[in-house]
Amino acid sequence: MKKLTLHNLDDLAIGSAILGSGGGGDSTYSYMMTRYEMEKRSSLNLISYSDLKPNDLIIPIGFMGAPTVEIEKMITGREFIKIFEIIEKTLDKKITAIMPFEIGGSNAFTPIITGLQMGLPVLDADMMGRAFPQTQMSSAHLHGISPCPGFINDCLDNTVVIHAKQTETLEKIGRHVTIAVGSSSAFAFYPINGTIAKQCTVPKSISRAINIGKTHRLAKENGEDPLNSILESCKGVLIGYGTITDIDREISKGFLQGSIKIQNHKDKFELVFQNEYLIAKSNGKIVATTPDILMLLEQETGTPITSEWLQYGLKVNLIALPAPDIWTSPEGLALVGPRQFGYEADYKPIQKSRSKNTILSINHESK
């Protein structure tokens, strides 16, 4: 067990944004809410697998919906208090710990806010190792763990309990409920015990996000380019750079979907997203895909840019970091690979084409 303090929050904000691959929601508001709660309580217990007992009840939590909605329909920070009351009544058991469903963006802060409010420790793990647009794209689903009962709540404490036979069905029902309450909702899926948590979650994801953020911060403090520091420490690649010249973006079926075009004096790039950045093209050819972590960094400051904050004229660097190992297996790729999103391209790890001094160039078949 270790303490999470105010000192860690800035690093977590940057690191979780990078791991979010454009999704997970902008963390500005949740970061401020976390600071407010932590200033009252000074620290939070961040626990590891070794702190878990076999029969502990761990609840993964997050927010579902289109990230742009949360800019105007801000969270109250207390959505999970009602959910937890219903969970404990439904399961007839006290919650021992909570954890982020995904480590990306705002969802990295969600369990920290709730943990501070309710005096619960947070498990240093998640179910993705990054962010993905759908809840069945989780390590627990990959291990055959049931996500039910699932719980959804909105800012007015309208709560739905879902008992679904299949994980994909839970996602569909949950998405429809989320659209009905304004395209943003709090959810708690995959209630698990301590034994299962050790088997089916991605370990140390909060610590990894903090370490990435620390690398970014130290580079800036030392007058260095955070881009190079992130690529070096995470074994990533620079796909391309340039100015955003076109944005095609809409909220559809409960997701923020679309694409952007980036251009420099020589090359043209396209980045396709569904909440998260999924496909990167260079001069019409697919050069990087999910599950590798695609991310945009603002050129001057190195600030990560999530999909809801894309703006015409921004000068950006487009990077890719290696996918968490769990997603590069055949079973993992069947869940989160490019073909799952309708692209006739096979996943090729960016690590195989990593070159420290050159821009990535992989010959994929375009959609």
Side-chain angles (χ1 to χ4, degrees):
M1 181 187 299
K2 58 184 178 181
K3 296 291 185 180
L4 196 65
T5 68
L6 284 169
H7 175 73
N8 304 122
L9 299 187
D10 287 348
D11 293 341
L12 178 59
I14 293 293
S16 64
I18 291 173
L19 290 178
S21 194
D26 176 68
S27 64
T28 302
Y29 184 62
S30 56
Y31 163 84
M32 291 189 292
M33 191 175 294
T34 304
R35 285 195 67 92
Y36 171 76
E37 295 292 345
M38 194 165 280
E39 284 170 355
K40 294 190 293 183
R41 296 166 179 83
S42 75
S43 67
L44 174 83
N45 289 332
L46 186 67
I47 62 175
S48 63
Y49 288 164
S50 61
D51 298 306
L52 296 177
K53 297 177 182 178
N55 291 323
D56 284 347
L57 176 59
I58 300 98
I59 305 296
I61 62 175
F63 280 88
M64 177 186 291
T68 47
V69 172
E70 293 180 9
I71 296 174
E72 296 185 6
K73 186 185 178 185
M74 294 184 290
I75 62 174
T76 68
R78 304 187 68 82
E79 285 85 352
F80 290 97
I81 294 176
K82 181 67 172 180
I83 286 184
F84 285 6
E85 290 176 2
I86 296 175
I87 288 175
E88 292 184 342
K89 183 177 180 180
T90 302
L91 301 180
D92 193 25
K93 192 172 185 179
K94 288 290 185 181
I95 296 170
T96 309
I98 53 181
M99 59 179 283
F101 189 82
E102 63 181 12
I103 192 57
S106 178
N107 273 330
F109 286 92
T110 299
I112 300 173
I113 296 169
T114 305
L116 287 165
Q117 290 172 340
M118 303 190 69
L120 289 169
V122 173
L123 179 63
D124 189 4
D126 79 317
M127 290 196 162
M128 294 182 175
R130 45 159 297 162
F132 284 116
Q134 298 177 18
T135 54
Q136 79 272 18
M137 298 173 177
S138 70
S139 57
H141 180 56
L142 201 59
H143 283 82
I145 307 301
S146 171
C148 294
F151 304 83
I152 291 181
N153 191 42
D154 71 356
C155 59
L156 300 177
D157 277 346
N158 296 304
T159 307
V160 176
V161 181
I162 305 171
H163 296 272
K165 292 183 178 180
Q166 296 181 328
T167 307
E168 292 83 357
T169 304
L170 176 67
E171 161 67 26
K172 290 178 182 178
I173 295 172
R175 193 67 54 177
H176 282 294
V177 170
T178 298
I179 293 171
V181 298
S183 290
S184 179
S185 69
F187 73 91
F189 295 168
Y190 295 97
I192 51 178
N193 63 34
T195 299
I196 293 175
K198 296 176 183 180
Q199 297 170 350
C200 77
T201 61
V202 180
K204 299 182 179 180
S205 51
I206 295 176
S207 292
R208 186 189 182 206
I210 291 172
N211 288 336
I212 291 174
K214 182 179 179 180
T215 297
H216 186 282
R217 172 174 55 83
L218 291 178
K220 295 188 71 174
E221 289 176 356
N222 294 329
E224 301 169 357
D225 187 351
L227 169 66
N228 293 331
S229 298
I230 293 299
L231 294 182
E232 185 65 28
S233 65
C234 297
K235 297 181 172 58
V237 298
L238 175 64
I239 296 173
Y241 61 91
T243 303
I244 296 178
T245 58
D246 186 65
I247 302 175
D248 179 11
R249 178 173 54 192
E250 65 175 350
I251 297 175
S252 176
K253 300 179 181 179
F255 300 101
L256 181 64
Q257 303 188 66
S259 64
I260 64 168
K261 294 180 180 178
I262 303 166
Q263 187 170 346
N264 60 36
H265 67 285
K266 181 182 177 182
D267 298 302
K268 295 180 180 180
F269 304 93
E270 183 179 1
L271 186 61
V272 180
F273 56 90
Q274 181 179 319
N275 288 1
E276 285 74 28
Y277 303 133
L278 301 175
I279 303 289
K281 297 181 181 181
S282 174
N283 298 317
K285 293 183 178 180
I286 295 177
V287 294
T289 72
T290 174
D292 283 337
I293 299 169
L294 310 181
M295 192 59 201
L296 292 171
L297 302 180
E298 199 271 329
Q299 282 186 10
E300 185 174 347
T301 64
T303 302
I305 303 168
T306 52
S307 58
E308 69 267 41
W309 288 113
L310 294 167
Q311 296 181 38
Y312 177 85
L314 272 179
K315 296 184 182 299
V316 297
N317 292 312
L318 173 57
I319 67 171
L321 308 182
D325 291 341
I326 190 173
W327 299 119
T328 59
S329 67
E331 296 80 9
L333 290 173
L335 266 182
V336 300
R339 293 184 183 275
Q340 176 67 21
F341 295 94
Y343 284 83
E344 296 299 322
D346 292 322
Y347 168 69
K348 294 184 180 180
I350 54 98
Q351 280 182 302
K352 291 185 177 180
S353 300
R354 184 171 184 255
S355 175
K356 187 174 181 180
N357 298 312
T358 60
I359 293 177
L360 177 65
S361 179
I362 305 175
N363 187 17
H364 275 299
E365 180 184 353
S366 295
K367 183 179 178 181

